[in-house]
Amino acid sequence: MATRPSHNNAAVVIVGAGISGMCTAIDMMRRNGSRDFVILEKGSQVGGTWNDNQYPGCCSDVWSHLYSYSFDSNPSWSREYPGQEEIHTYLVDVAERWGLFRHLRFNTAVKEATWNEETKQWNTRVQICGEKEVEFAKEYTIASDFLVSGVGQLNMPQYPAIPGINNFQGKMMHSARWDWSYDLEGKKVAIIGNGATAAQIIPEIAKVCDTLTVFQRTPNWVVPRGDAPISERMRTIYKYVPLVRKRYRAHLMDLREQFFEAAIVDDSEANNRLRADSLAMMECQIPENPELRARLTPNYPPGCKRVILSDDIFPALNQKHVSLETHHIKQITKNGIKVEGQDLEFDLIILATGFRTLEFMYPIKITGAGGRSIQDIWKDGARAYLGVTVESLPNFGMLYGPNTNLGHNSIILMIEAQSHYINTLIAPVLAAKKQHLSLAITPNTTRLEEYNAKLQSRLKNLTFSSSKCDSWYKNADGLVTNNWCGTVVEYQMKLSELNWGDFDLSGTGKSIIVSPEKRVHLGRVVEETRVSLLGLGAVIIAAAITVRLMSQTSIFHALLSKVYS
């Protein structure tokens, strides 16, 4: 065979092989019965952020049994909160089980995607990264009927704009680009940033480095994580009694949904209680250092910035060889960091400065209908209809897009709903393609504006919008572009039905969608506790087995009070 026509053509192009991209591809097979897709991944392995971030202490701040696909659960998690290696292994296993590797193109970076109005297709230009470019064409273009972004919000490292950052002659690394070949033992280390990532790194590297200086711009609210290993006995039960595992996941879901008010609703009783619990934890773990406690106490409500879950960050900061620096960084010198009144010398500077969260598709150039660029579309801030579809971008869907981030629950619960919704949009496009017709589906601008107006109105009453702190949730104008305004269940309910009246349709295949006002019931995965009378007996038995087995293992005593209270 002299040619491979499918190499430059696919019904669907999926950008990113992380949790979102993999979920979309699997739903293509499950819901649309199609393998006519390619997954473009700039890295060399699946996993997305869990492949990129491999720093010491890297782990999830969501319970392992909730931080996994509902349709491909893992009964063998070793801990309540999984580490990066275990999460990454799980995702690789999922990709293998579902046969995704045959659709994956690694070391392939998307440079730009342009909508062709005449053909009703996307033309996606990619660039081969790494050594392969020596052997093959450096660039090529893929034509597709639908384009899906699975790049998410946490994929492009944010480097701080500090004067002299390129002058440092020691070792410097971003947390998302960790160099494990560098030996930290006996080194003088600085870490710029004190958010969730830094809170995981600091306790680990403090064990081996000579000195550690933490540069803090703003303190964070911290609550206990309560991590613990999962016994072999419980793993066996989870494996062979699936109902127990499902009930446990439902309990975890319930608890996280209940955490919404505490973490997000400003000045609520639950939010004030979270504040008090955090201060009590700090006083308990830093008992004889009031000056340090004062510098670690935020002056903004919990939830304004991401609430950190950690059992060991406060004790780590209270060690003699660890210092907290709160003075403004003036510049980075060839030997270290200059702050007010002193020059500090370091062997290593760690940049725990997060990601470019407000740009979403950066650095990919997207050009939609009428030649509109994504920069023009989002000139006043990123927005999307249901966080999934974007104005002037036909046959386009995104996961973990604008206003879909959470401050209280597992993002995978959101991603699965988005994947189902996007695949419902893909279905008629596939049907049109099969009949040699064209179909373009674009969100109606009026519906999109109405949706985002209501969303932003609700966000104004939440801690995300508080003017008392800056965060990666909002842009320079204070517009919250990243976070969802409600619970996961509420979001899932919104995506459980698709109204074709919310979209503008064009192309020769418009008749495939019988009525533009037709509502399609998608349903949703019910994760929270919702028990019918018929299933009540089985649930009680499963819960009783769980409680009995857990109570026989001492490490689960604390977990029982947390989950079954």
Side-chain angles (χ1 to χ4, degrees):
M1 184 174 177
T3 61
R4 293 180 62 185
S6 62
H7 190 76
N8 294 83
N9 293 274
V12 178
V13 164
I14 301 169
V15 184
I19 291 173
S20 295
M22 289 171 55
C23 188
T24 305
I26 293 169
D27 271 347
M28 272 281 289
M29 295 181 284
R30 295 173 66 215
R31 303 183 186 281
N32 286 323
S34 173
R35 281 186 172 270
D36 192 358
F37 61 86
V38 295
I39 308 172
L40 307 176
E41 170 56 48
K42 66 181 179 180
S44 57
Q45 183 55 282
V46 301
T49 192
W50 295 106
N51 184 52
D52 292 343
N53 290 271
Q54 301 186 23
Y55 55 80
C58 182
C59 63
S60 170
D61 57 7
V62 175
W63 289 305
S64 53
H65 280 275
L66 201 55
Y67 198 79
S68 47
Y69 296 123
S70 65
F71 56 83
D72 199 333
S73 59
N74 176 19
S76 303
W77 293 111
S78 66
R79 303 191 65 81
E80 292 298 332
Y81 288 87
Q84 176 270 331
E85 291 185 37
E86 193 168 7
I87 295 173
H88 189 246
T89 297
Y90 163 74
L91 293 174
V92 172
D93 289 345
V94 169
E96 289 177 344
R97 276 193 294 273
W98 289 91
L100 297 185
F101 284 101
R102 59 187 280 197
H103 300 276
L104 273 154
R105 299 183 189 177
F106 291 116
N107 302 307
T108 303
V110 175
K111 307 305 291 183
E112 63 179 337
T114 304
W115 174 253
N116 186 319
E117 185 62 38
E118 183 177 348
T119 63
K120 297 289 190 292
Q121 287 187 315
W122 284 97
N123 292 319
T124 302
R125 183 171 65 87
V126 302
Q127 185 176 76
I128 306 300
C129 313
E131 295 180 359
K132 286 184 67 178
E133 66 186 43
V134 177
E135 305 173 36
F136 305 102
K138 187 174 182 178
E139 293 185 352
Y140 64 94
T141 299
I142 307 174
S144 67
D145 303 284
F146 208 101
L147 179 65
V148 178
S149 169
V151 301
Q153 302 180 16
L154 309 175
N155 67 93
M156 187 60 63
Q158 173 72 53
Y159 290 87
I162 301 174
I165 192 169
N166 296 319
N167 296 337
F168 185 58
Q169 295 181 1
K171 177 72 173 179
M172 180 181 289
M173 65 176 89
H174 193 281
S175 56
R177 301 291 184 265
W178 194 268
D179 181 2
W180 280 95
S181 69
Y182 185 81
D183 186 4
L184 278 72
E185 189 166 354
K187 298 295 195 302
K188 295 179 179 179
V189 181
I191 182 165
I192 298 176
N194 66 313
T197 296
Q200 295 177 356
I201 295 175
I202 291 166
E204 293 302 312
I205 65 174
K207 298 173 183 177
V208 295
C209 64
D210 182 54
T211 63
L212 174 61
T213 303
V214 180
F215 287 83
Q216 171 186 282
R217 185 172 58 180
T218 310
N220 293 282
W221 291 106
V222 182
V223 296
R225 204 158 65 106
D227 190 22
I230 299 176
S231 70
E232 184 65 37
R233 179 181 306 201
M234 283 311 305
R235 280 180 270 168
T236 300
I237 292 296
Y238 290 147
K239 182 176 181 179
Y240 294 106
V241 189
L243 186 57
V244 172
R245 185 175 71 247
K246 291 178 181 179
R247 290 306 309 146
Y248 183 53
R249 179 173 169 117
H251 278 297
L252 299 180
M253 167 71 166
D254 295 342
L255 286 170
R256 283 290 182 154
E257 287 289 79
Q258 292 165 15
F259 188 57
F260 172 79
E261 184 176 351
I264 296 166
V265 182
D266 192 6
D267 203 30
S268 64
E269 180 182 348
N271 191 256
N272 291 330
R273 188 165 61 247
L274 187 151
R275 182 198 306 263
D277 290 346
S278 179
L279 293 174
M281 172 184 168
M282 188 193 305
E283 186 169 3
C284 177
Q285 295 187 336
I286 309 177
E288 298 177 356
N289 196 338
E291 189 272 336
L292 177 59
R293 293 202 304 270
R295 289 193 290 157
L296 289 172
T297 301
N299 62 356
Y300 57 84
C304 184
K305 293 168 69 74
R306 182 178 178 184
V307 176
I308 294 174
L309 276 70
S310 176
D311 299 323
D312 50 9
I313 182 59
F314 287 149
L317 291 170
N318 198 35
Q319 296 176 89
K320 291 183 178 180
H321 69 297
V322 178
S323 59
L324 183 68
E325 180 58 65
T326 57
H327 288 104
H328 174 70
I329 296 176
K330 290 192 171 183
Q331 70 178 87
I332 294 178
T333 66
K334 67 176 184 178
N335 296 318
I337 299 175
K338 184 177 183 178
V339 296
E340 184 179 345
Q342 57 182 330
D343 290 309
L344 304 171
E345 295 188 357
F346 300 104
D347 301 305
L348 167 67
I349 297 177
I350 300 169
L351 304 175
T353 48
F355 300 87
R356 300 178 69 147
T357 58
L358 301 177
E359 296 160 285
F360 291 94
M361 298 296 294
Y362 180 87
I364 303 172
K365 297 179 180 179
I366 306 291
T367 305
R372 291 192 71 190
S373 68
I374 195 73
Q375 289 83 4
D376 175 55
I377 296 170
W378 285 345
K379 63 181 183 297
D380 296 322
R383 64 178 189 171
Y385 182 61
L386 299 175
V388 172
T389 60
V390 180
E391 63 185 285
S392 299
L393 299 188
N395 294 7
F396 175 84
M398 62 192 311
L399 300 96
Y400 198 17
N403 295 113
T404 63
N405 182 62
L406 296 173
H408 72 287
N409 210 333
S410 171
I411 193 62
I412 296 180
L413 305 172
M414 305 283 278
I415 287 170
E416 287 194 25
Q418 294 158 7
S419 176
H420 191 180
Y421 193 90
I422 290 172
N423 269 279
T424 304
L425 292 173
I426 290 173
V429 176
L430 293 178
K433 178 183 177 70
K434 190 174 182 180
Q435 298 177 37
H436 305 289
L437 301 173
S438 62
L439 175 61
I441 304 171
T442 312
N444 180 273
T445 304
T446 301
R447 300 287 177 90
L448 185 146
E449 289 178 349
E450 290 173 350
Y451 168 79
N452 280 277
K454 292 178 182 178
L455 183 147
Q456 290 298 328
S457 177
R458 288 183 58 182
L459 282 168
K460 288 179 181 178
N461 300 318
L462 303 179
T463 57
F464 299 144
S465 299
S466 173
S467 61
K468 296 179 181 179
C469 82
D470 295 323
S471 73
W472 58 268
Y473 300 152
K474 54 191 177 184
N475 63 16
D477 296 325
L479 181 73
V480 177
T481 60
N482 291 66
N483 285 14
W484 169 236
C485 63
T487 65
V488 166
V489 171
E490 182 183 359
Y491 184 79
Q492 290 175 336
M493 291 295 290
K494 284 186 176 295
L495 271 69
S496 67
E497 183 178 79
L498 189 149
N499 181 7
W500 286 115
D502 295 340
F503 297 90
D504 297 328
L505 310 174
S506 63
T508 57
K510 285 197 304 181
S511 60
I512 289 176
I513 299 174
V514 179
S515 169
E517 293 298 328
K518 182 180 179 182
R519 295 178 181 271
V520 182
H521 178 68
L522 313 185
R524 69 182 185 92
V525 179
V526 178
E527 305 260 35
E528 72 276 13
T529 300
R530 193 164 75 178
V531 184
S532 66
L533 292 175
L534 292 176
L536 184 60
V539 169
I540 292 174
I541 293 172
I545 293 173
T546 305
V547 171
R548 179 170 179 78
L549 288 171
M550 282 182 167
S551 64
Q552 291 174 356
T553 310
S554 60
I555 62 171
F556 280 101
H557 287 330
L559 189 60
L560 276 171
S561 62
K562 178 171 59 179
V563 175
Y564 291 98
S565 60

